Amino acid sequence: MTDAAAASQPPEESRFHAFRQAEELVGRRRPLDALKALQPLLESETDKPSVHLLAGRAYFHSAQLRRAEQALTRVLELDPTDHYARFLLGRTLQRLGRFVEALAQLKIASAMNPVPEYLEAISEVKAHIALRD
């Protein structure tokens, strides 16, 4: 669908299209383009965890780590049970060198959903902490 066609859609349909487009762009590792598509939603959908989570993913993949932290923190304010947001926040904090904070988020995420990826991240952060001590 073209941008002109999206603009002629009802607002709800247009927002849905923008979200799906941003989601696809993040998946294709084009986070800056995703953020551009997502910008109108970030301004109008301030209480939607899914919008902030997608923005957090895009910020993370474009190495805008402080913005990723802000977006993911907002997700957790809106939905404290989102284990993936906690995992990604933990990874963000890890990349920022804030290993103790990262470990706390990763442990919570893993307690909520003990998938191998979360457990591996915990081991990695623990190793960083051990090397610093």
Side-chain angles (χ1 to χ4, degrees):
M1 180 178 305
T2 66
D3 289 337
S8 68
Q9 296 173 349
E12 186 174 318
E13 215 171 301
S14 180
R15 289 191 306 263
F16 178 78
H17 171 73
F19 183 85
R20 289 296 178 214
Q21 180 183 23
E23 195 171 46
E24 178 185 335
L25 289 165
V26 167
R28 291 176 34 209
R29 299 287 188 199
R30 293 178 46 197
L32 297 177
D33 292 332
L35 287 165
K36 185 184 281 188
L38 203 54
Q39 192 57 46
L41 292 175
L42 287 170
E43 294 168 4
S44 67
E45 306 287 336
T46 58
D47 290 337
K48 299 280 187 185
S50 58
V51 172
H52 292 284
L53 181 59
L54 187 55
R57 289 175 56 204
Y59 288 132
F60 179 81
H61 290 301
S62 63
Q64 297 180 63
L65 301 177
R66 301 253 184 251
R67 287 182 174 178
E69 179 184 6
Q70 291 172 342
L72 297 165
T73 299
R74 180 67 179 142
V75 173
L76 294 173
E77 288 169 359
L78 296 168
D79 181 6
T81 66
D82 190 323
H83 62 86
Y84 183 72
R86 286 197 184 277
F87 168 72
L88 193 54
L89 178 58
R91 288 306 234 181
T92 300
L93 294 168
Q94 178 185 2
R95 285 178 67 184
L96 286 167
R98 292 162 51 193
F99 298 109
V100 173
E101 292 172 80
L103 184 59
Q105 291 299 325
L106 293 169
K107 283 182 173 181
I108 295 169
S110 179
M112 293 174 160
N113 188 27
V115 296
E117 184 178 15
Y118 294 5
L119 299 170
E120 289 169 19
I122 289 171
S123 295
E124 195 175 302
V125 170
K126 282 182 175 180
H128 280 286
I129 291 171
L131 288 173
R132 290 186 354 173
D133 290 342

